Amino acid sequence: MFRPPLLLLACALALLSSSMAAAAIVEHTLEVKNLTVRRLCNEQVVTAVNGSVPGPTIRAREGDTLVVKVINNSPYNMTIHWHGIFQLLSGWADGPNMVTQCPIQPGRSYTYRFKIIDQEGTLWWHAHVSVLRAYVHGALVIRPRSGTKYPFTKPYREVPIILGEWWKADVVDLENQALAIGTGTNVSDAYTINGRPGDLYNCSQSPTYRLNVIQGKTYLLRIINAALNTQLFFKVANHSLRVVGIDAAYTDPYDTDVVVTGPGQTVDALLTTDQAVGSYYMAASPYASAVGVDFNNNTTRGLIVYNGSTSTSPIMPQMPATNDTPTAHTFFSNITGLAGGPHWVPVPTQIDERMFVTVNLGLSECGTNTTCQGLFGARMAASMNNHSFQLPTSLSMLQAFFFNVSGVYTPDFPDNPPVVFDYTNDTNSLNRSLVFTPKSTSVKVLKYNATVEMVLQNTALIGIENHPIHIHGFNFHVLAQGFGNYDSVNDPSKFNLVNPQVRNTIGVPVGGWAVIRFIANNPGVWFMHCHLDVHLPWGLASAFVVQNGPTPSSRLPPPPADLPQC
C-alpha cells in the first residue's frame, strides 16, 4: 500500500483545516416596506422588513463577510445600522443617518458590505432614522469559525429572544407631534417577545410566543433589547440563567435569576431545562429608573413548554419592582469579562485622552413662530457636556471627514463640562442657569490608536434616570460604575483592570457614573449617543473623529460607488 510521506500528509491536513476554517460571504436581501398587522385588537400599518416583526435573523461566523442589499420600498428615508459591529475600515457600512451615510431614499436600494472581525455572540441590526427601529430590526448572530468551539458547553439549541415595544398609533406621527411641541413621545401600549405582546394583553392570547423544550437540555437564549425607550427585566419562572456573553463579548459565567437589559444591549444566557415537565412563563417588565416620568407599567410574557407537558396553568415568575435599582445595578456591575478567552483584549494602561462627559437632560429655546409646551415655554433637549447634538443635513459627517469638507461639523467637543456643579443633587434639576443647552454638531478628534478613558457622569437636570450610551465602531472596557458624583481621588481604586466586562452599550447608573476605556484604532466618524429614542432627537449624542493612521492598512478607504447621496 502506498504511504504518503509524512510531510505531504501534514501539508494536506493543514490545507484541509484551513479550508474548514475558511471565511464565507454571507448574502441577504432586506426589503423594507409597509405591512398591515393586527395587534392589541387593532389593525394598523407599520414599516417592517421582509413582511415580519422582528425582521429575519442574520447568521454568520467570525471572519465572514456580510453582503446585505437593503431595498427601501417604504415611504420613509432609511438606513440600517449593524449595532455593535466594529466596521474595521468599513465605516461606510455603519449606517447611522447623516453620520456615515445619507439615507436610502424611498424606491432605492443600497448594499452594505463588511467583514466580521474578532467578534462572536449576539448583536442586532436596526433602522437608524427617526423611530423606525421600533419595528425595523432583527437579530445578528455571530458564531465561532468552523472548527472552533464556544468557551462553554455547546447548547442543544440557540434561540433569539427579542424584547420590543408596540404602539397602537403610528410611531412616526407620534414623534413628529412631539418634536413640533418640544415634548416627549407617548409611551408604548405593550411590550413584546419576538414581536408578540403575550396573553396578558387583550386580543393577544393566540399569538403568544412559545418555545418548546426537551427536559434536561441546555438552550442558549440570545436576548436582545430592541425597545425604543425602556430598560427591561427578564425572567423565566423557576429557572436560573447563566450569562456567558454580553454585546458579543464573552463573560465569566454569571448565574442569576434575572437579566436586565437597556435598549441596544444584548445578553447571551444559558437556560437548562432542569425542572419538572410542565409549562413556565418567560416574562419581561420595565425597569423605570426616572421618578415622575410616564412609562408603560405592563408585562409581556411568552411560554416555555416542556415536551410531554399537559399543564394548562403555566407558572409565572415574580418580577422585580419597576424601580428596583439595586437589582438592576447588581446585574450590571457584577458581570466580568472572560480574560484570556476568544478575542479578549487586555485593558490598555497607557492613557492618551481623558474625558469627563456629563449626560444631561435639558431645554433649548423654542425659536420664533413656534409654540412649545416644555418647561419654561421651551422645548425638551438633551446634551453631553452642554452640547446638544444636531445632525447635519447636506452631507454625512464621514463624507466631510474623507473629502475634507468644512462646515459640516466642528472639532470642538469639550473634554469636560463648561460648568462644574453638584451633578446629582436634585435641587439643581430646574436651575435655569444649567438646564439650557445650545445646539451644535461638535465632535471630539482623536489620533489613530489613542487610548481614551471616559467618565460618563449622570446628572439630575430635569430628571434623573439610567441612560444607555452606545458607541459605534468600538467595544470598551467598563472599569467601574457607581452612584453619586464621580470621585477622581478615591473611585479609581475600584477600577477592574484585570477582567472588566466589555460592552458597546453601557447603562450609566441612575444618579451615578461609569468609567470606560477603549482604543481608537478605527479611522472614521463614530457616533456616541443615548439609545433611548426619545432622547436622540433631543440631542443626547456626540461623535468621535478618529484620524487616519500612518500606513495604508490604517486609513479609511474611499466610499463605495453606490453610496447614497443626499
Side-chain angles (χ1 to χ4, degrees):
M1 181 190 303
F2 173 72
R3 299 180 184 275
L6 290 178
L7 180 60
L8 183 61
L9 181 61
C11 290
L13 290 174
L15 285 172
L16 178 62
S17 175
S18 174
S19 174
M20 290 177 61
I25 296 176
V26 180
E27 299 185 75
H28 285 267
T29 297
L30 303 181
E31 183 185 12
V32 187
K33 64 179 182 179
N34 282 355
L35 175 71
T36 301
V37 296
R38 186 169 183 82
R39 295 281 193 281
L40 308 176
C41 314
N42 181 55
E43 188 171 274
Q44 65 191 94
V45 176
V46 301
T47 303
V49 176
N50 292 9
S52 67
V53 180
T57 296
I58 294 177
R59 293 178 173 86
R61 293 185 181 275
E62 191 275 324
D64 286 351
T65 296
L66 269 180
V67 179
V68 185
K69 183 177 183 179
V70 176
I71 303 170
N72 184 12
N73 285 327
S74 82
Y76 307 107
N77 285 342
M78 181 64 55
T79 68
I80 298 295
H81 171 50
W82 314 94
H83 187 109
I85 291 289
F86 294 152
Q87 299 292 0
L88 189 62
L89 299 180
S90 59
W92 302 106
D94 192 42
N97 177 46
M98 300 311 299
V99 178
T100 61
Q101 69 168 99
C102 297
I104 308 166
Q105 297 176 1
R108 299 192 176 183
S109 65
Y110 176 58
T111 299
Y112 292 89
R113 298 173 177 85
F114 56 90
K115 189 173 182 179
I116 300 171
I117 302 172
D118 293 338
Q119 293 183 276
E120 296 173 17
T122 304
L123 296 174
W124 63 304
W125 57 265
H126 62 80
H128 215 296
V129 177
S130 181
V131 291
L132 294 171
R133 76 172 172 90
Y135 310 125
V136 178
H137 61 251
L140 174 53
V141 173
I142 307 170
R143 295 193 177 102
R145 293 189 185 222
S146 295
T148 304
K149 297 181 179 180
Y150 291 121
F152 48 83
T153 301
K154 183 180 179 181
Y156 174 73
R157 184 181 167 196
E158 302 176 15
V159 185
I161 301 292
I162 302 180
L163 310 178
E165 291 182 277
W166 199 272
W167 283 259
K168 292 182 181 179
D170 185 283
V171 290
V172 175
D173 288 345
L174 291 176
E175 183 187 48
N176 289 338
Q177 293 166 10
L179 291 175
I181 60 176
T183 62
T185 56
N186 291 4
V187 300
S188 61
D189 295 294
Y191 301 113
T192 59
I193 296 176
N194 288 343
R196 302 177 183 185
D199 59 5
L200 288 175
Y201 295 97
N202 291 334
C203 305
S204 300
Q205 285 73 21
S206 177
T208 295
Y209 175 71
R210 173 178 172 137
L211 173 61
N212 294 319
V213 299
I214 299 172
Q215 189 180 40
K217 300 293 186 181
T218 297
Y219 296 77
L220 177 58
L221 303 185
R222 297 183 176 273
I223 304 165
I224 300 167
N225 187 334
L228 283 190
N229 293 313
T230 308
Q231 299 170 90
L232 293 163
F233 295 112
F234 176 83
K235 296 184 74 172
V236 178
N238 288 14
H239 291 73
S240 64
L241 296 165
R242 171 165 287 188
V243 175
V244 292
I246 54 174
D247 292 2
Y250 291 118
T251 68
D252 285 323
Y254 176 68
D255 295 324
T256 178
D257 70 339
V258 59
V259 163
V260 194
T261 63
Q265 293 181 326
T266 70
V267 176
D268 287 334
L270 297 173
L271 169 76
T272 299
T273 50
D274 54 5
Q275 298 299 300
V277 171
S279 296
Y280 303 85
Y281 279 117
M282 64 174 81
S285 61
Y287 166 46
S289 60
V291 177
V293 176
D294 289 339
F295 68 97
N296 174 4
N297 189 11
N298 290 316
T299 298
T300 180
R301 61 189 187 184
L303 286 165
I304 290 182
V305 181
Y306 282 58
N307 281 5
S309 172
T310 57
S311 170
T312 58
S313 300
I315 300 172
M316 177 67 186
Q318 181 67 42
M319 303 304 292
T322 59
N323 62 348
D324 191 349
T325 291
T327 291
H329 186 67
T330 295
F331 180 85
F332 285 137
S333 60
N334 280 2
I335 293 174
T336 52
L338 187 61
H343 315 300
W344 171 258
V345 175
V347 181
T349 56
Q350 177 69 39
I351 310 302
D352 302 302
E353 297 276 358
R354 296 183 186 273
M355 301 179 69
F356 186 98
V357 178
T358 54
V359 181
N360 307 333
L361 296 182
L363 302 169
S364 63
E365 299 294 345
C366 189
T368 59
N369 301 320
T370 305
T371 301
C372 295
Q373 298 179 13
L375 292 168
F376 309 129
R379 65 173 60 249
M380 291 298 297
S383 67
M384 293 182 171
N385 280 353
N386 205 42
H387 281 233
S388 187
F389 190 81
Q390 186 169 268
L391 286 170
T393 57
S394 60
L395 193 70
S396 78
M397 298 169 70
L398 188 58
Q399 287 172 300
F401 165 73
F402 185 85
F403 294 108
N404 196 27
V405 177
S406 61
V408 176
Y409 59 80
T410 57
D412 58 355
F413 184 81
D415 290 340
N416 297 282
V419 178
V420 176
F421 60 99
D422 189 354
Y423 303 113
T424 57
N425 187 335
D426 60 11
T427 62
N428 280 320
S429 62
L430 297 181
N431 186 329
R432 296 184 70 151
S433 68
L434 297 173
V435 298
F436 280 88
T437 176
K439 292 289 184 180
S440 64
T441 309
S442 59
V443 305
K444 169 68 176 178
V445 178
L446 298 171
K447 291 182 178 180
Y448 177 77
N449 248 5
T451 296
V452 182
E453 182 176 289
M454 182 186 304
V455 178
L456 292 163
Q457 175 68 61
N458 215 324
T459 78
L461 299 182
I462 304 297
I464 305 176
E465 64 180 319
N466 183 299
H467 293 286
I469 302 298
H470 172 47
I471 298 181
H472 292 222
F474 304 98
N475 279 353
F476 47 78
H477 294 96
V478 181
L479 304 186
Q481 306 171 64
F483 295 100
N485 296 326
Y486 175 72
D487 183 341
S488 61
V489 174
N490 296 309
D491 284 333
S493 64
K494 305 172 185 175
F495 287 4
N496 179 353
L497 301 176
V498 178
N499 63 341
Q501 61 182 269
V502 176
R503 281 200 174 274
N504 62 59
T505 306
I506 173 72
V508 182
V510 53
W513 51 270
V515 180
I516 65 174
R517 194 179 289 180
F518 67 96
I519 300 174
N521 57 0
N522 195 2
V525 179
W526 305 105
F527 208 25
M528 174 175 69
H529 64 95
C530 181
H531 222 269
L532 300 177
D533 262 47
V534 69
H535 292 165
L536 183 53
W538 291 354
L540 192 47
S542 184
F544 295 104
V545 170
V546 179
Q547 296 175 333
N548 282 308
T551 63
S553 62
S554 60
R555 302 179 69 85
L556 180 70
D562 59 344
L563 186 74
Q565 301 299 308
C566 293

